[in-house]
Amino acid sequence: MTAVDRIAIYPGSFDPVTLGHEDIARRGLGLADRVIVAVAHTATQSKKSLFSVEDRLRIMEEVFADNEGIECMSFQGLLVDFARSVGATMVIRGLRAVSDFEYEFQMALMNRALHPQLETVFLTPHQDYTFLSSSLVREVAGLGGDVSDFVSQPVLTQLATKRG
Ligand code: ADP
C-alpha cells in the first residue's frame, strides 16, 4: 500500500489569527498529515480588514513556526481551485455556535457541488474559545483592551504597531 499524504485546507480571513483558529488548525493535524492554513484574498472583501493579507500571512507563519505539519499560504479565487492545485482532499472549518452553522452549511454544499471529492469537516474548538472571533479581537484591541488571553504574542506585537 502506498501512503499518500492527506492534505487539509483550513481557509479563512484570519484578520488576525486567534487562539481559536490555532486550536482548530492543531486539531486538524489529528485528521490530516498536513494542514494548510490559507488566507483568502477575495472571499471576505465585504469586511473591512485590519491587516493586509501579506501581514496576516507573516503573523501566521510566526504563530505556527513550531508546528510541523502546518503550513501557511494565501490564495485568490475559488477555494475548490486552490484545493485542486495543492492536492487537498479536505476542508476544515470551525464551528463555534449554531450561528455559524447556516453559512458554513451553505458553503460546504456549494463547494461539494463545485468539487464533489472535497470533503468539508467541521471541528469545534476548546470551550474557552467558542465566543472568540477576529472581529471581537479587532474591536477590543482597537479600543485599547487587553487581548492577550485570546491571541498569541506575534499578533499582540502587530496589534501594538496598529495603535501607534
Ligand atoms: P471567515 O471570514 O472565512 O469566516 P475567519 O478567519 O473569521 O474567516 O474564520 C475562519 C474559520 O475559523 C471559520 O470556519 C470560522 O468559523 C472559524 N473560527 C473563527 N474563530 C473561531 C474560534 N474562536 N473557534 C473556532 N473556530 C473559529
Side-chain angles (χ1 to χ4, degrees), residues 10-14 20-21 24 44 47 93-94 96 104 125 129 132:
Y10 176 33
S13 315
F14 305 108
H21 293 132
I24 295 291
T44 53
K47 292 189 217 162
R93 295 285 288 176
R96 287 161 289 188
E104 295 292 341
Y129 306 134
L132 186 54

Side-chain angles (χ1 to χ4, degrees), residues 25-65:
R26 295 200 176 99
R27 285 175 198 279
L29 279 181
L31 302 174
D33 303 297
R34 285 168 58 202
V35 173
I36 300 175
V37 186
V39 187
H41 268 275
T42 49
T44 53
Q45 271 168 352
S46 55
K47 292 189 217 162
K48 199 181 166 311
S49 61
L50 177 64
F51 293 105
S52 69
V53 169
E54 293 71 27
D55 283 348
R56 287 181 235 166
L57 201 52
R58 263 193 297 113
I59 295 169
M60 282 162 42
E61 277 166 356
E62 212 177 320
V63 163
F64 291 114

